[in-house]
Amino acid sequence: MASVTLAWPPVYDDSYLPGHQQEHWSPELETMASDRRNSVILTKLQAVVQWAYDRSGFYRHKWDEAGVGPHSLRHLDDLHRFPVVTKDELRHDQAANPPFGSYLCVEPGDVARLHGTSGTTGKPTVFAIGREDWGRIANAHARIMWAMGLRPSDTIFFGSFFSLYMGSWGALAGAERLHATSFPFGAGVQGQTLMAVRWLHEVKPTALYATPSYALHLADVAREEGMDPGDFGLRTLFFSGEPGASIQSTKRKIEDTYGGACIDCGSMAEMTPWMSNAECRHRTGMHLWQDVVYTEVCDSRTYEPVPYGQEGTPVYTHLERTSQPMIRLLSGDLTRWIDEPCECGRTYPRLPEGIYGRIDDMFIIRGENVYPSAIENALRRVNGFGGEFQIVISRTGAMDELAVLAEYDAGIAARASHDGDAVAELQTRLERELRASIGVRAVVALRKPGELPRAELKARPVPDNRET
Amino acid sequence: MASVTLAWPPVYDDSYLPGHQQEHWSPELETMASDRRNSVILTKLQAVVQWAYDRSGFYRHKWDEAGVGPHSLRHLDDLHRFPVVTKDELRHDQAANPPFGSYLCVEPGDVARLHGTSGTTGKPTVFAIGREDWGRIANAHARIMWAMGLRPSDTIFFGSFFSLYMGSWGALAGAERLHATSFPFGAGVQGQTLMAVRWLHEVKPTALYATPSYALHLADVAREEGMDPGDFGLRTLFFSGEPGASIQSTKRKIEDTYGGACIDCGSMAEMTPWMSNAECRHRTGMHLWQDVVYTEVCDSRTYEPVPYGQEGTPVYTHLERTSQPMIRLLSGDLTRWIDEPCECGRTYPRLPEGIYGRIDDMFIIRGENVYPSAIENALRRVNGFGGEFQIVISRTGAMDELAVLAEYDAGIAARASHDGDAVAELQTRLERELRASIGVRAVVALRKPGELPRAELKARPVPDNRET
C-alpha cells in the first residue's frame, strides 16, 4: 500500500497500518514533487474518464456535445476543457433515470450503500456507493485521519447525526479502517446532548467528530451540568459540515474550550471520500489530497483554474470512484488556495482560510445545506400558503435557528375568522413539510396576506444573524 | 466457511457467499443432528470458558466461589452448574473497573466499537466489541439474515435509530457482510418518518428493518400522504426490540399492510450477535442458533433448563465472543421453547411464540428497555421531586407513550404560590433528566404533595394501556 501503484480501479491492502510514530500513511504519495504527482493524477484521471465514458450515458452525452472525451486528456491542463457538472444536472438525470441516474457506472447489485441529500432544492439526490468504492473511501479517510494525528489507540466519539448526513458515515468508515475504537453515539434527538456529555465524562474518548457549532453546544450543556469540557481529555476534534473549524476565532474558542486540536475537513457528500479537503495536525489550512480527489479552484464564471494565491470555487474530480464518479463537479463554494510548504512535509496545495462562502444563495444550518428555493418548493406544496415568505437565520446559544415568516392565503384568512385553530393548524403542516423536505427543523411564523414586504427582485436576501 | 471448523476463536472466510438459490448459508452446521451439534457446542463452550477464566477477574472470582471452572465442563449438561450472570453484576463490575469491567478479555486497543445502554437502571453499561468479534458478528448476522430470505440482490432500508440502540448497528453489519445494499436512514428525529415514507416511495427497497410499532406508524404516515404501504414493494420486514413481530395479530397486521413477510429476531444487546434468536422465512417461531449463542430456557428460580414444550427464561452463552463474552447471562425474559422440525430443514430448537414477557418489572417503550427503578433514580436526582410517582404506558396511533405522574415537594408548593413558573420549570427539568437517563421521551404530569395514591408494597404495578 505504501508504494505507488497505478492499477485502476486502485486496490489497497486492507491489513496495512503504518508504524505508530510514522508521520505519513503513504509517505511517497504524500510528499512527492508536484510534477511527479501530476503524472500520477493524470494516469488515474485518464482511467476514470474512460471508465465513465464507457459506462455512463450522462457523461458520454455531455462530453460528446462539448467535443471532449477520453482522447482529449493528454495533459492535466486538458481537464478544464471538460464541462463542469452541476447538482441540478444530477437531479434531472436521476429524475429521468430513477433512482440512481445514468452515471452509476457499476451494476446496481454492486451497490453497498445508499445515502442521499434531504432534497434541499426539491427532489432529493441518491448517492449509490459501490462495495469496492466503500473500501477505498474507508482507506482514503483512514489515511487522511492519520494526518490529523489519529491513531489506532484513539477512541473516537461521533457526536453527529447518523441518517442521510454523509459526514458521519464517512468518518466512521475511516475510523474503522484506521483500527481506532469507534463510539458512534449520534446526535439530533432531543435530550441526546445531555446523554452525550455523560458518556464523554464516563468513557473519556480521545477524539470527537461533530459539527463545530454542535461541539460548542455540547460544551454549554457540559457546563450546565457542572463539568469542564477541558476535563474530557479530547486531544483531537475534527469537524465538517460547517466552515467554523477554519474560522480562526471559532477554532481558538474550540481549542480553548476542550484543550485539544481543532481540525477542519470536508468537501461535499457527492464527492465522498469527502475528507479529500482536510487539515493535518499542524492546522495550517485544509490540504487538497489531490491524488484522491483532484481539485481545481476555478474562476466562478469560466470554471478555469485560478493561480495559487487567488480566490475561486472548487471544482472536484474523483480519482478512485467507480460508482457515480464525479468529474468536474461544481461545488459553488468559495475559497482561496495556496501552494506553500507545510510543517508536515506534505506537498499538497492548501486552503488556508478553509471554505468560507458561496457563489450562490445556499446556506448551512446545523451542517445541512439549504437553498431558499427548497424552502419555497416545500411551502408551495402546502395548501393554505399565501405565496410570500421570508427566511431568518439566527443563533441561540451555540445552535443555529431557522425561522420562516410566511403569509397564509385568503382561504385561511376566511376560515380563521370562525375557526380559531386554522392558522395554528397550517403552521403545523408547514413545519412538518419543511422538516421533511429540507431535513432541518424550521419555525414557521404566519402572517396575514399582504403583511410581508415584497422582494423587488427574484433573489431574496437571507438575513443571517449568526456571528462568525 | 461452509465446512465445520473447530478452531477457536473461529475465523471465517469474509469472501464466502452461498449460491443465490441455496437455502442455508452453512448447510452442515444448520441441519446437523442434535447430538453432533452438542459436541460442536461443547468444544466451543470449553474454549470460551477457558478464555474467560484466563483473562477475566470477574469470571475467575465468580466461578472460583461457585466451585466451577474450565475443568467442570465435560458434558454440555455441566453448564447449568455455572452461576448465572445478572445485568446488575455487570453494572457493578463496570463501576468498580471502569469503563469496560473486568470481563473485557481483549486488550482495550483491540476494541473496535463502543456502544451502551441508556442507563435504564441508573448507570449505563458499556459494550466493548473487539475488532475480530465485530467481523464474526457480521458473519453470524449475514448467515441468519440469509435464512430470513435476504440475498445480495436486496436493498435494505434501516428505519431504526442509529445511536446506542445496538439493533441498528448489528443489522447493518450483517447486511454489509451479506453484500446486500444498505440504506441506513435511521429514525427517532421529529419529522423523519415523513422523509422515510418518501424515500421508500422513491427508492423502492425490498426489505425493511425497524421495530414493529415503528413499521405500523410508518404505514399510518404513508396513508396520510395518500400512499399505500403495500406499493412500496417490501418483500422482507425484519424486526427486533419489541415482541410484536411474534404476536400473531401484529404479524398479520404488518403482513397485510405491507404485503411482505414479517420476521422476528433478537435476544439482548449484551449478547450481540443478538440475531441468534431469529425466525427463518417460514416464520414458525424464532430458531435458537445454538452454535452461535448457546441458549438454555430455564426455570426462573433454579436457572436449570426446563424440558422442551415448557416455559422459562432464556439464559444465554456466547460461543464466538472474545471481548466481553457472556457466559450464562440471565435475560429475565419469558418464552417457551420446542424442538420440532421446521420446513427450512434447520434442526435448531424454536421459540414458537417469541419472547412474550418478563420475570421482573422491566417494560419496553419504542424498543428501549426501561425499569421502573431507573425512572425512580432519575426523578430522585432532580431537586423539587416529592418522592411519589406513578408510571402510565399508553399507545397513540402506533406509537408507545410513556407518562410519569409525579408529586412535587413542599418547597415547590411554597414557591408555586408566588411564582407561576415553578411547577412548569420543575416539569422541564424532570423531563430532561428522564430523557437523558432512560433514553426515551416521557411526559411528566406534576401533582400536589399527597395527591397520588400510595403504593402498599415496594413494587408498583405499571398500568400498560397498550393492546397487544
Side-chain angles (χ1 to χ4, degrees):
Chain A
M1 151 71 223
S3 70
V4 178
T5 60
L6 296 179
W8 206 93
V11 175
Y12 292 104
D13 171 5
D14 281 342
S15 66
Y16 168 77
L17 273 183
H20 194 281
Q21 294 300 324
Q22 202 172 307
E23 176 83 29
H24 309 97
W25 179 282
S26 299
E28 193 182 354
L29 278 175
E30 295 172 35
T31 62
M32 60 173 54
S34 72
D35 55 341
R36 180 129 184 266
R37 173 168 299 130
N38 285 348
S39 92
V40 169
I41 293 169
L42 179 62
T43 307
K44 296 173 91 164
L45 189 61
Q46 287 168 330
V48 72
V49 164
Q50 187 72 55
W51 180 275
Y53 190 82
D54 292 345
R55 289 166 180 79
S56 156
F58 174 81
Y59 282 114
R60 202 164 45 243
H61 180 74
K62 185 177 173 71
W63 293 340
D64 283 351
E65 273 210 333
V68 295
H71 61 279
S72 335
L73 259 182
R74 275 183 292 185
H75 304 284
L76 207 42
D77 286 350
D78 296 327
L79 182 61
H80 77 254
R81 294 169 48 208
F82 284 67
V84 297
V85 173
T86 66
K87 290 202 207 184
D88 252 353
E89 282 176 273
L90 300 177
R91 239 181 329 268
H92 286 128
D93 185 56
Q94 289 201 337
N97 305 280
F100 305 131
S102 64
Y103 56 97
L104 178 62
C105 302
V106 297
E107 292 302 312
D110 291 335
V111 172
R113 304 282 295 233
L114 295 186
H115 294 277
T117 65
S118 353
T120 40
T121 55
K123 206 177 143 62
T125 309
V126 188
F127 306 137
I129 305 180
R131 189 162 320 285
E132 289 181 9
D133 277 352
W134 192 245
R136 279 185 286 267
I137 287 163
N139 198 82
H141 281 187
R143 177 180 156 202
I144 294 164
M145 288 161 73
W146 189 274
M148 297 178 188
L150 292 164
R151 292 293 178 272
S153 51
D154 277 299
T155 295
I156 306 174
F157 187 91
F158 294 80
S160 58
F161 191 29
F162 282 91
S163 176
L164 290 179
Y165 184 55
M166 202 57 231
S168 307
W169 299 105
L172 179 60
E176 292 187 320
R177 174 63 189 87
L178 184 76
H179 287 198
T181 302
S182 299
F183 190 167
F185 181 76
V189 173
Q190 222 197 336
Q192 209 177 353
T193 308
L194 183 53
M195 288 175 77
V197 160
R198 292 182 183 173
W199 277 106
L200 289 169
H201 176 74
E202 197 75 36
V203 172
K204 298 267 188 291
T206 54
L208 172 73
Y209 170 73
T211 59
S213 59
Y214 188 67
L216 291 171
H217 176 60
L218 206 55
D220 287 344
V221 173
R223 288 196 202 93
E224 281 170 29
E225 289 290 296
M227 299 178 198
D228 177 352
D231 292 341
F232 292 150
L234 293 166
R235 286 189 296 102
T236 308
L237 300 97
F238 62 116
F239 297 104
S240 65
E242 296 169 357
S246 273
I247 298 168
Q248 286 310 312
S249 58
T250 305
K251 201 179 198 82
R252 249 196 325 274
K253 188 168 179 189
I254 289 174
E255 300 202 343
D256 289 349
T257 300
Y258 285 99
C262 167
I263 290 173
D264 194 16
C265 60
S267 60
M268 301 165 71
E270 286 83 352
M271 290 313 303
T272 305
W274 54 259
M275 278 189 196
S276 64
N277 301 344
E279 289 190 293
C280 69
R281 65 189 178 89
H282 298 285
R283 316 194 291 294
T284 57
M286 293 196 279
H287 291 282
L288 301 174
W289 294 68
Q290 297 286 45
D291 49 297
V292 175
V293 166
Y294 182 60
T295 301
E296 309 156 278
V297 174
C298 291
D299 181 276
S300 61
R301 263 173 295 208
T302 65
Y303 307 133
E304 290 191 28
V306 298
Y308 289 123
Q310 293 193 16
E311 179 179 271
T313 186
V315 172
Y316 297 114
T317 297
H318 275 129
L319 296 180
E320 304 200 335
R321 277 282 292 269
T322 56
S323 53
Q324 299 188 329
M326 292 290 110
I327 296 162
R328 299 209 86 211
L329 180 64
L330 176 64
S331 66
D333 288 326
L334 256 192
T335 188
R336 188 176 72 88
W337 67 346
I338 59 170
D339 188 24
E340 289 166 17
C342 174
E343 234 178 298
C344 71
R346 286 178 190 83
T347 48
Y348 298 120
R350 293 207 306 284
L351 310 179
E353 293 98 25
I355 282 167
Y356 50 75
R358 291 287 303 171
I359 61 171
D360 59 20
D361 57 359
M362 193 194 86
F363 57 91
I364 298 177
I365 290 281
R366 296 180 202 162
E368 284 286 346
N369 300 340
V370 180
Y371 288 89
S373 57
I375 291 181
E376 178 160 357
N377 284 340
L379 297 173
R380 289 197 190 285
R381 272 198 290 275
V382 177
N383 282 330
F385 169 59
E388 286 293 327
F389 71 102
Q390 201 181 320
I391 300 166
V392 181
I393 306 167
S394 58
R395 183 164 285 165
T396 308
M399 295 302 285
D400 300 336
E401 295 295 342
L402 173 62
V404 177
L405 314 182
E407 288 183 7
Y408 48 83
D409 68 7
I412 296 288
R415 257 184 62 202
S417 62
H418 60 271
D419 173 3
D421 294 334
V423 172
E425 187 263 347
L426 174 63
Q427 182 191 339
T428 303
R429 282 189 291 128
L430 286 166
E431 289 179 346
R432 188 162 176 260
E433 182 59 44
L434 281 170
R435 181 68 185 79
S437 298
I438 63 173
V440 287
R441 194 184 63 245
V443 176
V444 171
L446 283 168
R447 298 285 183 265
K448 291 195 189 105
E451 201 172 319
L452 287 179
R454 262 53 185 166
E456 298 281 316
L457 298 160
K458 188 113 194 81
R460 298 156 199 272
V462 176
D464 191 335
N465 304 327
R466 298 174 288 193
E467 49 169 323
T468 48
Chain B
M1 151 72 224
S3 70
V4 178
T5 60
L6 295 179
W8 204 93
V11 175
Y12 293 104
D13 172 5
D14 281 342
S15 65
Y16 169 77
L17 274 184
H20 193 282
Q21 295 300 324
Q22 204 173 305
E23 177 82 30
H24 309 97
W25 179 282
S26 300
E28 192 180 356
L29 278 175
E30 296 172 35
T31 62
M32 59 174 54
S34 73
D35 56 341
R36 180 126 187 268
R37 174 168 297 132
N38 285 348
S39 93
V40 169
I41 293 169
L42 179 62
T43 307
K44 294 174 93 164
L45 188 62
Q46 286 167 330
V48 72
V49 164
Q50 186 72 56
W51 179 275
Y53 190 82
D54 292 345
R55 288 166 181 79
S56 157
F58 174 82
Y59 281 115
R60 201 163 46 242
H61 179 74
K62 185 176 174 72
W63 292 340
D64 283 350
E65 272 208 335
V68 295
H71 60 278
S72 334
L73 259 182
R74 274 182 293 184
H75 304 284
L76 207 42
D77 287 351
D78 297 328
L79 182 61
H80 77 254
R81 294 170 47 211
F82 283 67
V84 297
V85 173
T86 66
K87 290 202 208 186
D88 252 353
E89 282 176 274
L90 299 177
R91 239 183 327 268
H92 286 129
D93 185 55
Q94 289 201 336
N97 306 279
F100 305 130
S102 64
Y103 56 97
L104 179 62
C105 303
V106 297
E107 292 302 312
D110 292 334
V111 172
R113 304 282 295 231
L114 295 186
H115 294 276
T117 65
S118 355
T120 40
T121 55
K123 207 177 143 60
T125 309
V126 189
F127 306 138
I129 305 180
R131 190 163 318 284
E132 289 180 10
D133 278 352
W134 192 246
R136 280 185 285 268
I137 287 163
N139 198 82
H141 281 188
R143 178 180 155 201
I144 294 164
M145 289 161 72
W146 190 274
M148 296 178 188
L150 291 165
R151 292 294 178 271
S153 52
D154 277 299
T155 295
I156 306 174
F157 188 91
F158 294 80
S160 58
F161 191 28
F162 282 92
S163 175
L164 290 178
Y165 184 56
M166 203 56 231
S168 306
W169 299 105
L172 179 59
E176 292 187 320
R177 174 63 189 86
L178 183 76
H179 286 198
T181 302
S182 300
F183 191 168
F185 181 77
V189 173
Q190 223 198 333
Q192 210 178 352
T193 309
L194 183 52
M195 288 175 77
V197 160
R198 292 183 183 174
W199 277 105
L200 290 169
H201 176 74
E202 197 75 36
V203 172
K204 298 267 187 292
T206 54
L208 172 73
Y209 170 72
T211 59
S213 59
Y214 188 67
L216 291 172
H217 176 58
L218 206 55
D220 287 344
V221 172
R223 287 195 202 94
E224 281 169 28
E225 289 290 294
M227 299 176 197
D228 176 354
D231 292 340
F232 293 150
L234 293 165
R235 286 189 296 101
T236 308
L237 300 97
F238 62 115
F239 298 104
S240 64
E242 296 169 357
S246 273
I247 299 168
Q248 285 310 311
S249 58
T250 305
K251 203 180 197 81
R252 248 196 326 274
K253 188 169 178 189
I254 289 174
E255 300 202 343
D256 290 348
T257 300
Y258 285 99
C262 168
I263 290 173
D264 193 16
C265 60
S267 60
M268 302 165 71
E270 286 83 353
M271 291 312 303
T272 306
W274 55 259
M275 278 189 197
S276 65
N277 301 345
E279 289 190 292
C280 69
R281 66 189 177 88
H282 297 284
R283 315 195 291 294
T284 57
M286 293 197 280
H287 292 281
L288 300 174
W289 293 67
Q290 297 286 45
D291 49 298
V292 175
V293 166
Y294 183 60
T295 301
E296 309 157 277
V297 174
C298 291
D299 181 276
S300 61
R301 264 173 296 209
T302 64
Y303 307 131
E304 289 190 28
V306 298
Y308 289 123
Q310 292 192 17
E311 178 178 270
T313 186
V315 172
Y316 297 114
T317 297
H318 276 129
L319 296 181
E320 304 201 335
R321 277 284 291 268
T322 57
S323 53
Q324 298 188 329
M326 291 290 109
I327 296 160
R328 297 210 88 211
L329 179 65
L330 177 63
S331 66
D333 288 325
L334 256 192
T335 188
R336 188 175 73 87
W337 67 346
I338 59 170
D339 187 26
E340 288 165 19
C342 174
E343 235 178 296
C344 71
R346 287 180 188 83
T347 49
Y348 298 120
R350 292 208 306 285
L351 310 179
E353 293 97 24
I355 282 167
Y356 49 76
R358 292 285 305 170
I359 61 172
D360 59 21
D361 57 358
M362 192 194 87
F363 57 92
I364 298 177
I365 289 282
R366 297 180 201 164
E368 282 287 345
N369 300 339
V370 180
Y371 288 89
S373 57
I375 291 180
E376 179 158 358
N377 285 339
L379 297 173
R380 288 197 190 284
R381 271 199 290 274
V382 176
N383 281 330
F385 169 59
E388 287 293 328
F389 71 102
Q390 202 180 321
I391 299 166
V392 181
I393 306 167
S394 59
R395 184 164 283 166
T396 308
M399 295 302 284
D400 300 336
E401 295 294 342
L402 172 62
V404 177
L405 314 182
E407 289 183 7
Y408 48 84
D409 68 7
I412 296 289
R415 257 184 61 201
S417 63
H418 61 271
D419 173 2
D421 295 334
V423 172
E425 186 263 349
L426 174 63
Q427 182 190 338
T428 303
R429 281 188 292 129
L430 286 166
E431 288 179 347
R432 187 161 177 261
E433 183 59 44
L434 282 170
R435 181 67 185 78
S437 297
I438 63 173
V440 287
R441 195 185 62 245
V443 176
V444 171
L446 283 168
R447 297 285 182 265
K448 292 197 187 103
E451 201 172 318
L452 288 178
R454 263 52 185 166
E456 298 281 317
L457 298 161
K458 188 114 193 79
R460 298 155 199 272
V462 176
D464 192 334
N465 304 327
R466 298 174 289 194
E467 50 169 322
T468 47

